[in-house]
Every structure is written in C-alpha cells, then in structure tokens.
mmCIF file of all heavy atoms in Angstrom:
data_model
loop_
_atom_site.group_PDB
_atom_site.id
_atom_site.type_symbol
_atom_site.label_atom_id
_atom_site.label_comp_id
_atom_site.label_asym_id
_atom_site.label_seq_id
_atom_site.Cartn_x
_atom_site.Cartn_y
_atom_site.Cartn_z
ATOM 1 N N LYS A 1 137.772 123.862 89.072
ATOM 2 C CA LYS A 1 138.595 123.214 88.058
ATOM 3 C C LYS A 1 138.610 121.695 88.145
ATOM 4 O O LYS A 1 139.007 121.028 87.184
ATOM 5 C CB LYS A 1 140.034 123.743 88.153
ATOM 6 C CG LYS A 1 140.136 125.235 87.887
ATOM 7 C CD LYS A 1 141.580 125.715 87.982
ATOM 8 C CE LYS A 1 141.680 127.211 87.713
ATOM 9 N NZ LYS A 1 143.078 127.696 87.789
ATOM 10 N N PHE A 2 138.215 121.125 89.298
ATOM 11 C CA PHE A 2 138.283 119.677 89.476
ATOM 12 C C PHE A 2 136.891 119.067 89.533
ATOM 13 O O PHE A 2 135.939 119.688 90.023
ATOM 14 C CB PHE A 2 139.039 119.333 90.771
ATOM 15 C CG PHE A 2 140.511 119.613 90.723
ATOM 16 C CD1 PHE A 2 141.011 120.849 91.101
ATOM 17 C CD2 PHE A 2 141.406 118.644 90.284
ATOM 18 C CE1 PHE A 2 142.368 121.119 91.059
ATOM 19 C CE2 PHE A 2 142.767 118.906 90.235
ATOM 20 C CZ PHE A 2 143.251 120.141 90.627
ATOM 21 N N GLU A 3 136.786 117.828 89.043
ATOM 22 C CA GLU A 3 135.523 117.103 89.119
ATOM 23 C C GLU A 3 135.180 116.802 90.575
ATOM 24 O O GLU A 3 136.063 116.571 91.408
ATOM 25 C CB GLU A 3 135.621 115.792 88.340
ATOM 26 C CG GLU A 3 135.835 115.971 86.843
ATOM 27 C CD GLU A 3 134.614 116.564 86.153
ATOM 28 O OE1 GLU A 3 133.495 116.380 86.685
ATOM 29 O OE2 GLU A 3 134.780 117.195 85.095
ATOM 30 N N ARG A 4 133.887 116.791 90.862
ATOM 31 C CA ARG A 4 133.430 116.570 92.231
ATOM 32 C C ARG A 4 133.934 115.238 92.780
ATOM 33 O O ARG A 4 134.389 115.155 93.930
ATOM 34 C CB ARG A 4 131.905 116.609 92.284
ATOM 35 C CG ARG A 4 131.340 116.408 93.692
ATOM 36 C CD ARG A 4 129.820 116.447 93.706
ATOM 37 N NE ARG A 4 129.304 116.265 95.046
ATOM 38 C CZ ARG A 4 129.150 115.087 95.644
ATOM 39 N NH1 ARG A 4 129.474 113.972 94.998
ATOM 40 N NH2 ARG A 4 128.676 115.003 96.873
ATOM 41 N N GLU A 5 133.869 114.177 91.994
ATOM 42 C CA GLU A 5 134.282 112.859 92.469
ATOM 43 C C GLU A 5 135.771 112.839 92.807
ATOM 44 O O GLU A 5 136.185 112.203 93.778
ATOM 45 C CB GLU A 5 133.977 111.790 91.420
ATOM 46 C CG GLU A 5 134.349 110.375 91.822
ATOM 47 C CD GLU A 5 133.688 109.932 93.123
ATOM 48 O OE1 GLU A 5 132.561 110.381 93.419
ATOM 49 O OE2 GLU A 5 134.315 109.126 93.840
ATOM 50 N N THR A 6 136.573 113.541 92.018
ATOM 51 C CA THR A 6 138.004 113.636 92.319
ATOM 52 C C THR A 6 138.224 114.323 93.662
ATOM 53 O O THR A 6 139.023 113.870 94.488
ATOM 54 C CB THR A 6 138.734 114.419 91.216
ATOM 55 O OG1 THR A 6 138.594 113.738 89.972
ATOM 56 C CG2 THR A 6 140.219 114.573 91.541
ATOM 57 N N LEU A 7 137.497 115.415 93.914
ATOM 58 C CA LEU A 7 137.644 116.148 95.170
ATOM 59 C C LEU A 7 137.206 115.311 96.366
ATOM 60 O O LEU A 7 137.821 115.371 97.437
ATOM 61 C CB LEU A 7 136.842 117.449 95.116
ATOM 62 C CG LEU A 7 137.334 118.491 94.109
ATOM 63 C CD1 LEU A 7 136.393 119.684 94.076
ATOM 64 C CD2 LEU A 7 138.749 118.938 94.431
ATOM 65 N N VAL A 8 136.147 114.518 96.192
ATOM 66 C CA VAL A 8 135.687 113.646 97.279
ATOM 67 C C VAL A 8 136.772 112.647 97.649
ATOM 68 O O VAL A 8 137.073 112.419 98.826
ATOM 69 C CB VAL A 8 134.393 112.913 96.883
ATOM 70 C CG1 VAL A 8 134.063 111.813 97.892
ATOM 71 C CG2 VAL A 8 133.235 113.894 96.788
ATOM 72 N N GLN A 9 137.398 112.045 96.641
ATOM 73 C CA GLN A 9 138.466 111.087 96.894
ATOM 74 C C GLN A 9 139.679 111.749 97.539
ATOM 75 O O GLN A 9 140.300 111.192 98.448
ATOM 76 C CB GLN A 9 138.876 110.413 95.575
ATOM 77 C CG GLN A 9 137.797 109.558 94.942
ATOM 78 C CD GLN A 9 137.532 108.303 95.760
ATOM 79 O OE1 GLN A 9 136.823 108.340 96.754
ATOM 80 N NE2 GLN A 9 138.097 107.190 95.339
ATOM 81 N N ILE A 10 140.014 112.940 97.057
ATOM 82 C CA ILE A 10 141.157 113.672 97.599
ATOM 83 C C ILE A 10 140.943 114.010 99.070
ATOM 84 O O ILE A 10 141.839 113.864 99.905
ATOM 85 C CB ILE A 10 141.409 114.954 96.783
ATOM 86 C CG1 ILE A 10 141.972 114.621 95.401
ATOM 87 C CG2 ILE A 10 142.338 115.910 97.525
ATOM 88 C CD1 ILE A 10 143.332 113.974 95.424
ATOM 89 N N LEU A 11 139.754 114.463 99.409
ATOM 90 C CA LEU A 11 139.451 114.827 100.793
ATOM 91 C C LEU A 11 139.698 113.667 101.744
ATOM 92 O O LEU A 11 140.152 113.860 102.872
ATOM 93 C CB LEU A 11 138.000 115.286 100.908
ATOM 94 C CG LEU A 11 137.709 116.758 100.616
ATOM 95 C CD1 LEU A 11 136.202 117.001 100.594
ATOM 96 C CD2 LEU A 11 138.372 117.659 101.645
ATOM 97 N N LYS A 12 139.412 112.464 101.301
ATOM 98 C CA LYS A 12 139.539 111.287 102.161
ATOM 99 C C LYS A 12 140.983 110.992 102.547
ATOM 100 O O LYS A 12 141.227 110.199 103.455
ATOM 101 C CB LYS A 12 138.935 110.066 101.467
ATOM 102 C CG LYS A 12 137.428 110.127 101.294
ATOM 103 C CD LYS A 12 136.921 108.897 100.557
ATOM 104 C CE LYS A 12 135.418 108.930 100.349
ATOM 105 N NZ LYS A 12 134.940 107.731 99.597
ATOM 106 N N LEU A 13 141.929 111.619 101.861
ATOM 107 C CA LEU A 13 143.343 111.350 102.130
ATOM 108 C C LEU A 13 143.998 112.432 102.994
ATOM 109 O O LEU A 13 145.213 112.421 103.183
ATOM 110 C CB LEU A 13 144.106 111.208 100.807
ATOM 111 C CG LEU A 13 143.900 109.866 100.110
ATOM 112 C CD1 LEU A 13 144.431 109.917 98.682
ATOM 113 C CD2 LEU A 13 144.576 108.743 100.884
ATOM 114 N N HIS A 14 143.210 113.368 103.515
ATOM 115 C CA HIS A 14 143.750 114.446 104.354
ATOM 116 C C HIS A 14 143.131 114.379 105.741
ATOM 117 O O HIS A 14 141.916 114.253 105.873
ATOM 118 C CB HIS A 14 143.447 115.804 103.719
ATOM 119 C CG HIS A 14 144.140 116.023 102.411
ATOM 120 N ND1 HIS A 14 143.698 115.450 101.233
ATOM 121 C CD2 HIS A 14 145.257 116.746 102.100
ATOM 122 C CE1 HIS A 14 144.507 115.819 100.254
ATOM 123 N NE2 HIS A 14 145.456 116.603 100.751
ATOM 124 N N ASN A 15 143.952 114.484 106.761
ATOM 125 C CA ASN A 15 143.419 114.360 108.122
ATOM 126 C C ASN A 15 142.820 115.658 108.650
ATOM 127 O O ASN A 15 142.157 115.675 109.676
ATOM 128 C CB ASN A 15 144.507 113.850 109.084
ATOM 129 C CG ASN A 15 145.573 114.883 109.370
ATOM 130 O OD1 ASN A 15 145.820 115.785 108.570
ATOM 131 N ND2 ASN A 15 146.219 114.775 110.517
ATOM 132 N N THR A 16 143.054 116.763 107.924
ATOM 133 C CA THR A 16 142.555 118.065 108.347
ATOM 134 C C THR A 16 142.025 118.817 107.132
ATOM 135 O O THR A 16 142.610 118.739 106.048
ATOM 136 C CB THR A 16 143.670 118.887 109.027
ATOM 137 O OG1 THR A 16 144.288 118.090 110.052
ATOM 138 C CG2 THR A 16 143.130 120.152 109.645
ATOM 139 N N VAL A 17 140.912 119.541 107.317
ATOM 140 C CA VAL A 17 140.250 120.239 106.216
ATOM 141 C C VAL A 17 140.049 121.700 106.591
ATOM 142 O O VAL A 17 139.715 122.019 107.738
ATOM 143 C CB VAL A 17 138.882 119.596 105.906
ATOM 144 C CG1 VAL A 17 138.172 120.345 104.783
ATOM 145 C CG2 VAL A 17 139.048 118.120 105.533
ATOM 146 N N ILE A 18 140.267 122.592 105.623
ATOM 147 C CA ILE A 18 139.994 124.016 105.821
ATOM 148 C C ILE A 18 138.695 124.366 105.126
ATOM 149 O O ILE A 18 138.508 124.061 103.939
ATOM 150 C CB ILE A 18 141.133 124.892 105.270
ATOM 151 C CG1 ILE A 18 142.447 124.576 105.980
ATOM 152 C CG2 ILE A 18 140.796 126.372 105.418
ATOM 153 C CD1 ILE A 18 143.632 125.359 105.431
ATOM 154 N N VAL A 19 137.789 125.011 105.857
ATOM 155 C CA VAL A 19 136.532 125.518 105.299
ATOM 156 C C VAL A 19 136.462 126.997 105.648
ATOM 157 O O VAL A 19 136.355 127.359 106.822
ATOM 158 C CB VAL A 19 135.301 124.783 105.867
ATOM 159 C CG1 VAL A 19 134.022 125.357 105.254
ATOM 160 C CG2 VAL A 19 135.408 123.289 105.605
ATOM 161 N N GLY A 20 136.542 127.849 104.618
ATOM 162 C CA GLY A 20 136.575 129.282 104.881
ATOM 163 C C GLY A 20 137.838 129.645 105.630
ATOM 164 O O GLY A 20 138.944 129.376 105.170
ATOM 165 N N ASP A 21 137.693 130.217 106.820
ATOM 166 C CA ASP A 21 138.866 130.564 107.637
ATOM 167 C C ASP A 21 138.944 129.706 108.897
ATOM 168 O O ASP A 21 139.513 130.106 109.911
ATOM 169 C CB ASP A 21 138.846 132.050 108.020
ATOM 170 C CG ASP A 21 137.597 132.430 108.804
ATOM 171 O OD1 ASP A 21 136.724 131.569 108.994
ATOM 172 O OD2 ASP A 21 137.506 133.602 109.232
ATOM 173 N N THR A 22 138.387 128.491 108.812
ATOM 174 C CA THR A 22 138.346 127.587 109.964
ATOM 175 C C THR A 22 138.896 126.227 109.563
ATOM 176 O O THR A 22 138.678 125.767 108.440
ATOM 177 C CB THR A 22 136.900 127.432 110.480
ATOM 178 O OG1 THR A 22 136.345 128.727 110.730
ATOM 179 C CG2 THR A 22 136.870 126.616 111.767
ATOM 180 N N ILE A 23 139.622 125.566 110.465
ATOM 181 C CA ILE A 23 140.138 124.231 110.182
ATOM 182 C C ILE A 23 139.437 123.201 111.055
ATOM 183 O O ILE A 23 139.050 123.482 112.183
ATOM 184 C CB ILE A 23 141.672 124.154 110.369
ATOM 185 C CG1 ILE A 23 142.077 124.571 111.794
ATOM 186 C CG2 ILE A 23 142.372 124.997 109.344
ATOM 187 C CD1 ILE A 23 143.564 124.433 112.042
ATOM 188 N N TYR A 24 139.256 122.007 110.494
ATOM 189 C CA TYR A 24 138.560 120.925 111.184
ATOM 190 C C TYR A 24 139.333 119.628 110.997
ATOM 191 O O TYR A 24 139.971 119.411 109.960
ATOM 192 C CB TYR A 24 137.156 120.719 110.603
ATOM 193 C CG TYR A 24 136.259 121.922 110.664
ATOM 194 C CD1 TYR A 24 136.204 122.821 109.602
ATOM 195 C CD2 TYR A 24 135.463 122.166 111.775
ATOM 196 C CE1 TYR A 24 135.372 123.931 109.645
ATOM 197 C CE2 TYR A 24 134.619 123.272 111.826
ATOM 198 C CZ TYR A 24 134.579 124.144 110.756
ATOM 199 O OH TYR A 24 133.758 125.248 110.803
ATOM 200 N N LYS A 25 139.255 118.743 111.971
ATOM 201 C CA LYS A 25 139.739 117.386 111.787
ATOM 202 C C LYS A 25 138.761 116.651 110.866
ATOM 203 O O LYS A 25 137.545 116.780 111.000
ATOM 204 C CB LYS A 25 139.856 116.665 113.132
ATOM 205 C CG LYS A 25 141.014 117.147 113.985
ATOM 206 C CD LYS A 25 142.350 116.946 113.276
ATOM 207 C CE LYS A 25 143.525 117.413 114.110
ATOM 208 N NZ LYS A 25 144.808 117.285 113.380
ATOM 209 N N ASN A 26 139.298 115.889 109.932
ATOM 210 C CA ASN A 26 138.473 115.211 108.932
ATOM 211 C C ASN A 26 137.890 113.921 109.506
ATOM 212 O O ASN A 26 138.619 112.957 109.764
ATOM 213 C CB ASN A 26 139.311 114.915 107.693
ATOM 214 C CG ASN A 26 138.492 114.356 106.552
ATOM 215 O OD1 ASN A 26 137.276 114.235 106.647
ATOM 216 N ND2 ASN A 26 139.167 114.014 105.469
ATOM 217 N N GLN A 27 136.585 113.878 109.672
ATOM 218 C CA GLN A 27 135.909 112.693 110.210
ATOM 219 C C GLN A 27 135.758 111.591 109.162
ATOM 220 O O GLN A 27 135.352 110.482 109.491
ATOM 221 C CB GLN A 27 134.536 113.079 110.748
ATOM 222 C CG GLN A 27 134.588 114.078 111.893
ATOM 223 C CD GLN A 27 133.205 114.439 112.420
ATOM 224 O OE1 GLN A 27 132.201 113.908 111.969
ATOM 225 N NE2 GLN A 27 133.173 115.337 113.387
ATOM 226 N N TYR A 28 136.071 111.903 107.917
ATOM 227 C CA TYR A 28 135.868 110.937 106.835
ATOM 228 C C TYR A 28 137.196 110.439 106.257
ATOM 229 O O TYR A 28 137.263 109.965 105.130
ATOM 230 C CB TYR A 28 135.022 111.574 105.726
ATOM 231 C CG TYR A 28 133.693 112.071 106.237
ATOM 232 C CD1 TYR A 28 133.508 113.417 106.514
ATOM 233 C CD2 TYR A 28 132.639 111.191 106.480
ATOM 234 C CE1 TYR A 28 132.295 113.884 107.013
ATOM 235 C CE2 TYR A 28 131.428 111.642 106.971
ATOM 236 C CZ TYR A 28 131.266 112.987 107.236
ATOM 237 O OH TYR A 28 130.064 113.438 107.727
ATOM 238 N N LEU A 29 138.257 110.560 107.058
ATOM 239 C CA LEU A 29 139.571 110.084 106.629
ATOM 240 C C LEU A 29 139.493 108.595 106.302
ATOM 241 O O LEU A 29 139.030 107.792 107.107
ATOM 242 C CB LEU A 29 140.590 110.323 107.732
ATOM 243 C CG LEU A 29 142.055 110.024 107.421
ATOM 244 C CD1 LEU A 29 142.581 110.976 106.354
ATOM 245 C CD2 LEU A 29 142.889 110.155 108.690
ATOM 246 N N ALA A 30 139.951 108.225 105.124
ATOM 247 C CA ALA A 30 139.794 106.851 104.647
ATOM 248 C C ALA A 30 141.084 106.063 104.790
ATOM 249 O O ALA A 30 142.187 106.619 104.861
ATOM 250 C CB ALA A 30 139.359 106.855 103.186
ATOM 251 N N GLY A 31 140.953 104.741 104.799
ATOM 252 C CA GLY A 31 142.107 103.862 104.722
ATOM 253 C C GLY A 31 142.626 103.805 103.303
ATOM 254 O O GLY A 31 141.939 104.168 102.346
ATOM 255 N N LEU A 32 143.852 103.342 103.137
ATOM 256 C CA LEU A 32 144.499 103.336 101.825
ATOM 257 C C LEU A 32 143.697 102.591 100.778
ATOM 258 O O LEU A 32 143.482 103.062 99.672
ATOM 259 C CB LEU A 32 145.893 102.721 101.947
ATOM 260 C CG LEU A 32 146.683 102.576 100.639
ATOM 261 C CD1 LEU A 32 146.971 103.948 100.060
ATOM 262 C CD2 LEU A 32 147.959 101.818 100.886
ATOM 263 N N ASN A 33 143.211 101.407 101.082
ATOM 264 C CA ASN A 33 142.532 100.588 100.084
ATOM 265 C C ASN A 33 141.183 101.148 99.667
ATOM 266 O O ASN A 33 140.622 100.742 98.654
ATOM 267 C CB ASN A 33 142.353 99.159 100.603
ATOM 268 C CG ASN A 33 143.679 98.430 100.715
ATOM 269 O OD1 ASN A 33 144.587 98.686 99.933
ATOM 270 N ND2 ASN A 33 143.798 97.555 101.694
ATOM 271 N N GLU A 34 140.647 102.098 100.440
ATOM 272 C CA GLU A 34 139.380 102.710 100.078
ATOM 273 C C GLU A 34 139.532 103.740 98.977
ATOM 274 O O GLU A 34 138.577 104.079 98.305
ATOM 275 C CB GLU A 34 138.765 103.390 101.301
ATOM 276 C CG GLU A 34 138.379 102.465 102.427
ATOM 277 C CD GLU A 34 137.827 103.257 103.595
ATOM 278 O OE1 GLU A 34 136.791 103.925 103.414
ATOM 279 O OE2 GLU A 34 138.426 103.221 104.678
ATOM 280 N N VAL A 35 140.742 104.278 98.790
ATOM 281 C CA VAL A 35 140.911 105.429 97.912
ATOM 282 C C VAL A 35 141.840 105.165 96.745
ATOM 283 O O VAL A 35 141.573 105.554 95.619
ATOM 284 C CB VAL A 35 141.445 106.636 98.716
ATOM 285 C CG1 VAL A 35 141.615 107.842 97.811
ATOM 286 C CG2 VAL A 35 140.501 106.956 99.862
ATOM 287 N N LEU A 36 142.971 104.503 96.990
ATOM 288 C CA LEU A 36 143.989 104.362 95.957
ATOM 289 C C LEU A 36 143.432 103.647 94.734
ATOM 290 O O LEU A 36 142.754 102.640 94.867
ATOM 291 C CB LEU A 36 145.180 103.576 96.510
ATOM 292 C CG LEU A 36 146.504 103.741 95.758
ATOM 293 C CD1 LEU A 36 147.034 105.158 95.905
ATOM 294 C CD2 LEU A 36 147.519 102.743 96.259
ATOM 295 N N PRO A 37 143.660 104.157 93.518
ATOM 296 C CA PRO A 37 143.135 103.523 92.318
ATOM 297 C C PRO A 37 143.667 102.114 92.146
ATOM 298 O O PRO A 37 144.783 101.803 92.552
ATOM 299 C CB PRO A 37 143.620 104.437 91.189
ATOM 300 C CG PRO A 37 144.776 105.172 91.752
ATOM 301 C CD PRO A 37 144.483 105.333 93.217
ATOM 302 N N ILE A 38 142.868 101.253 91.539
ATOM 303 C CA ILE A 38 143.259 99.871 91.320
ATOM 304 C C ILE A 38 144.196 99.814 90.128
ATOM 305 O O ILE A 38 143.812 100.069 88.992
ATOM 306 C CB ILE A 38 142.036 98.980 91.064
ATOM 307 C CG1 ILE A 38 141.115 99.012 92.281
ATOM 308 C CG2 ILE A 38 142.461 97.554 90.763
ATOM 309 C CD1 ILE A 38 139.796 98.311 92.067
ATOM 310 N N GLN A 39 145.455 99.517 90.380
ATOM 311 C CA GLN A 39 146.440 99.384 89.329
ATOM 312 C C GLN A 39 147.542 98.470 89.843
ATOM 313 O O GLN A 39 147.633 98.186 91.018
ATOM 314 C CB GLN A 39 146.994 100.758 88.918
ATOM 315 C CG GLN A 39 147.434 101.606 90.101
ATOM 316 C CD GLN A 39 147.789 103.001 89.655
ATOM 317 O OE1 GLN A 39 148.049 103.253 88.498
ATOM 318 N NE2 GLN A 39 147.824 103.926 90.589
ATOM 319 N N ASN A 40 148.378 98.014 88.951
ATOM 320 C CA ASN A 40 149.354 97.002 89.321
ATOM 321 C C ASN A 40 150.790 97.522 89.317
ATOM 322 O O ASN A 40 151.724 96.742 89.228
ATOM 323 C CB ASN A 40 149.249 95.812 88.349
ATOM 324 C CG ASN A 40 147.931 95.091 88.496
ATOM 325 O OD1 ASN A 40 147.461 94.867 89.608
ATOM 326 N ND2 ASN A 40 147.324 94.738 87.371
ATOM 327 N N ASN A 41 150.947 98.849 89.404
ATOM 328 C CA ASN A 41 152.320 99.348 89.383
ATOM 329 C C ASN A 41 153.011 99.087 90.715
ATOM 330 O O ASN A 41 152.379 98.776 91.719
ATOM 331 C CB ASN A 41 152.356 100.850 89.028
ATOM 332 C CG ASN A 41 151.634 101.698 90.042
ATOM 333 O OD1 ASN A 41 151.813 101.536 91.235
ATOM 334 N ND2 ASN A 41 150.795 102.603 89.556
ATOM 335 N N GLU A 42 154.325 99.226 90.726
ATOM 336 C CA GLU A 42 155.116 98.864 91.896
ATOM 337 C C GLU A 42 154.835 99.776 93.079
ATOM 338 O O GLU A 42 154.870 99.346 94.229
ATOM 339 C CB GLU A 42 156.609 98.910 91.530
ATOM 340 C CG GLU A 42 157.038 97.786 90.593
ATOM 341 C CD GLU A 42 156.703 96.404 91.168
ATOM 342 O OE1 GLU A 42 156.985 96.183 92.363
ATOM 343 O OE2 GLU A 42 156.158 95.581 90.432
ATOM 344 N N ASN A 43 154.562 101.080 92.825
ATOM 345 C CA ASN A 43 154.284 101.994 93.932
ATOM 346 C C ASN A 43 153.032 101.582 94.688
ATOM 347 O O ASN A 43 152.984 101.624 95.915
ATOM 348 C CB ASN A 43 154.105 103.423 93.398
ATOM 349 C CG ASN A 43 155.422 104.039 92.992
ATOM 350 O OD1 ASN A 43 156.463 103.639 93.490
ATOM 351 N ND2 ASN A 43 155.389 105.004 92.092
ATOM 352 N N THR A 44 152.001 101.186 93.953
ATOM 353 C CA THR A 44 150.760 100.773 94.593
ATOM 354 C C THR A 44 150.977 99.514 95.415
ATOM 355 O O THR A 44 150.497 99.393 96.541
ATOM 356 C CB THR A 44 149.680 100.510 93.526
ATOM 357 O OG1 THR A 44 149.506 101.698 92.755
ATOM 358 C CG2 THR A 44 148.368 100.138 94.169
ATOM 359 N N LYS A 45 151.693 98.537 94.880
ATOM 360 C CA LYS A 45 151.969 97.300 95.616
ATOM 361 C C LYS A 45 152.737 97.593 96.898
ATOM 362 O O LYS A 45 152.471 97.017 97.942
ATOM 363 C CB LYS A 45 152.772 96.341 94.728
ATOM 364 C CG LYS A 45 151.978 95.784 93.543
ATOM 365 C CD LYS A 45 152.873 94.898 92.684
ATOM 366 C CE LYS A 45 152.127 94.356 91.481
ATOM 367 N NZ LYS A 45 153.010 93.545 90.610
#
C-alpha cells in the first residue's frame, strides 16, 4: 500500500526492524535532519 521511497524514509526512523519472525537492530538509523521533510512549521523547528 505504500510507495517504496516512503518506506525507505520510514525505516530510517526506527531503531529496530522486524523481518519475517526475526528482529534486528537497524544499522541504517538516520539522524533527524536526514529524514524530516523540509518545511517551516513550528513542530519541525
């Protein structure tokens, strides 16, 4: 149901990932500025 690019960005914001019936620590965890969309609202600031 979700676009691939959206899922890639979402994955970067989780420290743990489930694949099948196994969980892994996410080696690709990103910093905030790498993922958050560029906008000028107060929450982002």
Side-chain angles (χ1 to χ4, degrees):
K1 298 180 180 180
F2 290 90
E3 296 292 334
R4 181 180 180 278
E5 181 57 31
T6 299
L7 294 176
V8 169
Q9 295 291 81
I10 289 295
L11 274 172
K12 292 178 181 179
L13 283 168
H14 295 78
N15 71 334
T16 309
V17 178
I18 300 177
V19 180
D21 59 357
T22 307
I23 57 177
Y24 301 92
K25 287 300 180 183
N26 187 3
Q27 298 180 3
Y28 303 100
L29 186 66
L32 177 64
N33 291 328
E34 296 178 62
V35 180
L36 200 67
I38 299 173
Q39 49 188 341
N40 294 318
N41 62 46
E42 289 304 314
N43 286 336
T44 302
K45 291 177 181 177

